[in-house]
Amino acid sequence: MNQKVDSLLKPIMLTDNNAVDGGFRLKSLPYWQGRAFAEIAYARDISERFPGEYDDIVVAAAKLVREEFDKDGYVSKETVAEVEKILAPIAPLAKEFTLHCVGHAHIDMNWQWGYDETVNIVLSN
């Protein structure tokens, strides 16, 4: 298998449904593949806080995703359902956390926009 399943598919960077990962390198992920990556990434983060306790589960889920991707070039809905079954023992712990999502936008008033246009854009969003 690919170096402990590509270090559990790490780094997985998900932004606006885009991801970059060692062997996957896709600009835009299909829904089911993005879902699998996000769930494994979250399980991996939890596993890192409880060393050894959930490692086998996360490795099994990542291995399943990697094997299907290597074989078929995509991750199916059925595989994601299987990943979710594998990760189910982590679910109660995962639900104890509160995630805070904070949006941020950079409006650059020094780049080609006049002051009035910048104020209008900021106020309209």
Side-chain angles (χ1 to χ4, degrees):
M1 191 56 30
N2 302 347
Q3 207 163 3
K4 195 176 177 185
V5 193
D6 293 351
S7 289
L8 303 176
L9 310 177
K10 192 175 187 178
I12 299 172
M13 297 175 287
L14 293 170
T15 56
D16 298 330
N17 203 32
N18 292 322
V20 178
D21 170 54
F24 291 92
R25 298 212 187 281
L26 296 172
K27 281 190 173 184
S28 181
L29 291 177
Y31 173 78
W32 293 109
Q33 189 168 321
R35 180 170 167 162
F37 276 31
E39 290 174 354
I40 292 169
Y42 187 48
R44 179 194 66 220
D45 291 345
I46 290 171
S47 185
E48 287 175 357
R49 286 165 178 75
F50 300 89
E53 211 170 317
Y54 301 105
D55 291 352
D56 292 341
I57 292 170
V58 177
V59 169
K63 183 178 177 182
L64 180 65
V65 168
R66 170 51 86 182
E67 286 173 348
E68 181 172 26
F69 188 87
D70 286 348
K71 182 177 145 229
D72 300 328
Y74 67 94
V75 178
S76 69
K77 179 180 179 180
E78 294 76 22
T79 297
V80 173
E82 194 61 35
V83 164
E84 290 170 351
K85 286 180 191 172
I86 292 168
L87 296 176
I90 301 175
L93 181 59
K95 291 176 183 179
E96 290 181 17
F97 293 92
T98 300
L99 299 176
H100 299 276
C101 299
V102 179
H104 170 73
H106 175 76
I107 304 297
D108 192 350
M109 64 185 266
N110 294 324
W111 185 78
Q112 295 185 357
W113 288 357
Y115 177 81
D116 292 337
E117 185 177 5
T118 302
V119 170
N120 287 334
I121 292 292
V122 170
L123 293 176
S124 70
N125 289 321

